[in-house]
Amino acid sequence: MRLIFLGPPGAGKGTQAKLLTEKYGIPQLSTGDMLRAAKEAGTEIGLKAKAVMDAGQLVSDDIVNAIVAERIDLDDCSNGFILDGYPRTVPQAIALEKMLQDKGCPLDAVIELKVDEGALMGRIENRVAETIAAGGKVRADDMPEAFKKRLVEYREKTAPLSAHYESTGQLKTIDGMADVKAVTAEIEKTLAAL
Ligand code: AMP
């Protein structure tokens, strides 16, 4: 099963992707996690990406396309994967199509979590409060100014992907405002019907 999760920051893509990895036995590939790991490790990619990420902007297509191409070639992706946070631009979607075509393994579905944008700021404030309460480090891009920038980036560069995948017939839209379990159940129902 090869899936993409689409939706704005704070829509619950990461939470749902994690839950599905257990059910389907396939990895969650979060480009955000990969880039944060590169930042922490101080690699060349991490150093290049840091300022852009902390400001809530998108890292260049070339960098993320290369990271994903390398990652989906690993053995644990042989039965599929869930892409969380990639593609985020139409050129990334086209690059992914080419990668999958070359491997002879097409996408099964694109799951879009539809959420009311007004609720996202509240969700992210909760995530920050929970991280602080657990003694964790708050992501620089979860701070209000950077988060607002991420929403602008989403609207301008990522939202057009819905129309892109609608036109390929792969888009499945799910109400992401329901509670976590209800959203998972709806996704599972959608995937079972494929
Ligand atoms: P996320 O954890 O998915 O919210 O991603 C955190 C940040 O990593 C984003 O705000 C971007 O700066 C960067 N990032 C993650 N995935 C991508 C992508 N597919 N394209 C460009 N930048 C990305």
Side-chain angles (χ1 to χ4, degrees):
M1 173 91 65
R2 283 170 293 274
L3 300 176
I4 290 177
F5 268 106
L6 271 188
K13 301 184 297 294
T15 304
Q16 293 298 334
K18 274 193 192 84
L19 292 169
L20 289 187
T21 58
E22 287 159 27
K23 182 172 164 107
Y24 294 100
I26 51 176
Q28 169 202 18
L29 309 184
S30 155
T31 40
D33 284 351
M34 294 178 214
L35 289 164
R36 277 185 289 279
K39 235 171 71 168
E40 288 294 314
T43 64
E44 200 184 325
I45 285 180
L47 294 175
K48 272 191 198 157
K50 184 181 183 326
V52 177
M53 289 174 75
D54 289 352
Q57 292 166 328
L58 292 187
V59 174
S60 79
D61 290 341
D62 287 351
I63 290 181
V64 280
N65 290 339
I67 292 178
V68 171
E70 204 171 287
R71 182 66 186 83
I72 62 176
D73 253 351
L74 299 186
D75 285 349
D76 65 338
C77 291
S78 56
N79 288 329
F81 46 77
I82 303 172
L83 284 166
D84 157 17
Y86 178 91
R88 250 178 163 102
T89 64
V90 173
Q92 287 180 21
I94 292 167
L96 175 66
E97 266 146 37
K98 168 95 177 62
M99 282 175 222
L100 296 180
Q101 221 168 41
D102 291 348
K103 289 168 74 70
C105 47
L107 275 180
D108 291 287
V110 178
I111 307 278
E112 178 182 41
L113 296 178
K114 264 263 188 267
V115 287
D116 165 13
E117 269 209 19
L120 292 175
M121 202 44 116
R123 280 192 180 189
I124 224 69
E125 280 164 7
N126 282 345
R127 180 154 99 184
V128 169
E130 280 167 14
T131 305
I132 292 170
K137 190 167 165 244
V138 175
R139 282 169 52 172
D141 61 353
D142 274 350
M143 300 312 280
E145 280 319 303
F147 188 73
K148 280 184 204 148
K149 181 70 196 154
R150 285 162 70 198
L151 285 179
V152 171
E153 291 278 81
Y154 174 78
R155 267 183 238 122
E156 286 177 3
K157 299 177 181 159
T158 311
L161 286 178
S162 305
H164 176 80
Y165 286 118
E166 180 101 63
S167 73
T168 63
Q170 290 161 307
L171 189 72
K172 309 284 171 201
T173 302
I174 306 270
D175 173 15
M177 293 304 292
D179 69 49
V180 173
K181 277 193 179 147
V183 175
T184 311
E186 198 51 37
I187 295 171
E188 288 180 355
K189 203 168 96 188
T190 303
L191 295 178
L194 284 180

